[in-house]
Amino acid sequence: MLSDSSSDSSDRSFKFPFDTNDALSIHELAVKDLPQPDAANPFSVAMHSPPAPFPSFSRQTVYCCSSPGSPPFAVDRKSVDNSAVAVTDTPFEFAPSQKSSQHTNRPPPILKSKEEKMTGNLVEKLRPKFVVENELIRAFIAELFCTAFLVFGGECVNAQYVLSQGKNNEWIGVSVGWGIALMLAVLMGSKISGAHLNPAVSFFQLTQGKMNVIRFLVYVVAQNIGAFIGAFGVFCVYFDAINAFEGGNRTVTGHTATASIFATYPGPFLGTFNAIVDQIAGTLVLCLGVAAITDSRNEIPSFLQPVWIAGLLSFLGMSMALNAGYAINPARDFAPRLFSLCVGYGWEVFSYRNYKWFWIPIICPMIGGVLGAWIYEFFIGYHIPDEALLEAEKEKQLQDVLDEVADIENQLPEYTDKKQLSDIASIHQETGFRDI
């Protein structure tokens, strides 16, 4: 749209991206071969009408609007080749169909690049600075932190149960609480280290060739350090409650004993041999279940595996905790026991029952873990067909069916087109339909 406005040019300037001098010649080229216009036909006249040329005066103004809702401005052209922009008060706006979709190279807000999205994310900015490149060190950190979280959460459940004498927690609450703590710990560390959190689990992985000796030792050290830190956290949280409950005297046995918050101790009825069987059997069930849940042939999604493992631990707490509290984890029992020695419970934490107990939840779970994992493989794991074998078997069955179909087709008589037509005609004649 052009006008002969005489408004002064401003500092907004642009250059037309086309040469308007070619407009007439292009039109003449388009209509030169058409028939002569018919004066009585308005459509014919409109077809042959040349476009209106640009005014010949020196100053021309194009009214436009930069964006919907913004005030319009006018383009004051001194010439076709060099133009200036001036803002006027004349209201004008391009129709939606006239607005260009290529007016800017900036993408719309919904198509922001990943870098732009992360501009305000401080975590993503700091990630490259704090990420640990060494994979084994990352695994060490994950095992340490996640084991600390497991022991802290689980022993806080123990503390609430012991210090309230069962008023704030039923035993089923203890079992479920340990399961939830394990679920969160496994969820956090599974993508980094596999979240073993238990030397017995790491040991059966070692015997199956899924990790080497160095990694096994690194995991065991990390798990014990993490369990020690977790016990320290529980002691800090319940320091006043422990003092009030036992009167400032750190006791291992008796009605005011609180050592069982940190480590496991057998019931008064439990003998040494039965204690050994108890810890082997409990860890056997634990590692058998872990082997089944993490077996890729069972196709349990990785994000659901922590939930299944948590349910497994809760099941053990509900079924195998009466004898000695289901330690079934050497790091979970030894490191907090060592911590309780350091905070004043005395050497009795190790000498209990004349040294016939403390080593049982350390040694026996290592045996039970290996037995459980290998029992699963021999009775279940080795007999689950691989996915590749299943696909090959399906393809073989399909090929057998195709071969049978081909044999049947070969046994059928061959028909020529002429014979087929004659057979069809005879059928129609027999049924009374003679006009095909």
Side-chain angles (χ1 to χ4, degrees), residues 65-71 93 99:
C65 185
S66 59
S67 62
S70 61
E93 184 174 353
K99 295 179 182 179

Side-chain angles (χ1 to χ4, degrees), residues 127-138:
R127 181 188 296 274
K129 299 179 181 179
F130 288 93
V131 66
V132 178
E133 298 296 337
N134 188 287
E135 191 274 333
L136 188 59
I137 296 177
R138 290 202 307 268

Side-chain angles (χ1 to χ4, degrees), residues 97-368:
S97 60
Q98 295 173 316
K99 295 179 182 179
S100 172
S101 61
Q102 304 295 333
H103 65 282
T104 178
N105 291 328
R106 179 183 297 177
I110 197 171
L111 298 178
K112 286 183 177 180
S113 63
K114 184 177 180 181
E115 292 75 10
E116 291 178 345
K117 290 180 181 178
M118 298 303 177
T119 301
N121 192 329
L122 185 60
V123 174
E124 296 300 329
K125 286 182 179 179
L126 296 178
R127 181 188 296 274
K129 299 179 181 179
F130 288 93
V131 66
V132 178
E133 298 296 337
N134 188 287
E135 191 274 333
L136 188 59
I137 296 177
R138 290 202 307 268
F140 176 87
I141 295 172
E143 286 293 313
L144 188 152
F145 179 83
C146 294
T147 307
F149 182 87
L150 168 65
V151 173
F152 174 78
E155 292 190 350
C156 278
V157 174
N158 288 353
Q160 188 163 280
Y161 176 79
V162 171
L163 298 177
S164 69
Q165 295 182 331
K167 295 179 181 179
N168 289 353
N169 256 359
E170 297 291 340
W171 184 256
I172 189 172
V174 175
S175 302
V176 173
W178 271 97
I180 294 174
L182 179 62
M183 178 186 68
L184 295 175
V186 172
L187 184 66
M188 288 187 289
S190 59
K191 297 292 185 180
I192 304 173
S193 66
H196 295 183
L197 316 181
N198 187 339
V201 174
S202 300
F203 188 56
F204 92 67
Q205 298 266 359
L206 174 66
T207 62
Q208 292 182 343
K210 298 179 180 178
M211 64 188 308
N212 56 39
V213 176
I214 295 176
R215 180 175 289 270
F216 167 73
L217 295 176
V218 169
Y219 274 41
V220 170
V221 171
Q223 290 157 2
N224 280 275
I225 295 174
F228 191 93
I229 295 173
F232 172 73
V234 176
F235 186 75
C236 292
V237 170
Y238 286 100
F239 179 77
D240 289 343
I242 291 173
N243 287 335
F245 183 80
E246 60 187 9
N249 298 318
R250 303 287 184 256
T251 54
V252 177
T253 59
H255 295 292
T256 60
T258 56
S260 60
I261 293 174
F262 304 99
T264 59
Y265 294 88
F269 54 86
L270 190 67
T272 301
F273 179 77
N274 199 176
I276 293 173
V277 173
D278 174 80
Q279 290 299 301
I280 291 177
T283 317
L284 185 151
V285 174
L286 173 69
C287 292
L288 188 150
V290 169
I293 293 168
T294 58
D295 190 344
S296 59
R297 296 180 182 88
N298 289 324
E299 298 182 354
I300 298 178
S302 59
F303 66 91
L304 288 180
Q305 291 179 9
V307 180
W308 283 96
I309 294 174
L312 174 62
L313 184 63
S314 296
F315 160 71
L316 289 171
M318 298 175 195
S319 60
M320 304 185 72
L322 177 64
N323 287 336
Y326 78 117
I328 58 177
N329 185 336
R332 170 261 177 276
D333 194 84
F334 171 74
R337 190 182 300 274
L338 181 62
F339 173 80
S340 63
L341 172 66
C342 296
V343 295
Y345 283 90
W347 192 251
E348 188 179 1
V349 297
F350 286 100
S351 64
Y352 182 75
R353 285 198 174 181
N354 198 21
Y355 298 97
K356 292 181 180 179
W357 167 251
F358 85 93
W359 56 270
I360 292 177
I362 299 174
I363 303 299
C364 295
M366 307 295 280
I367 301 172

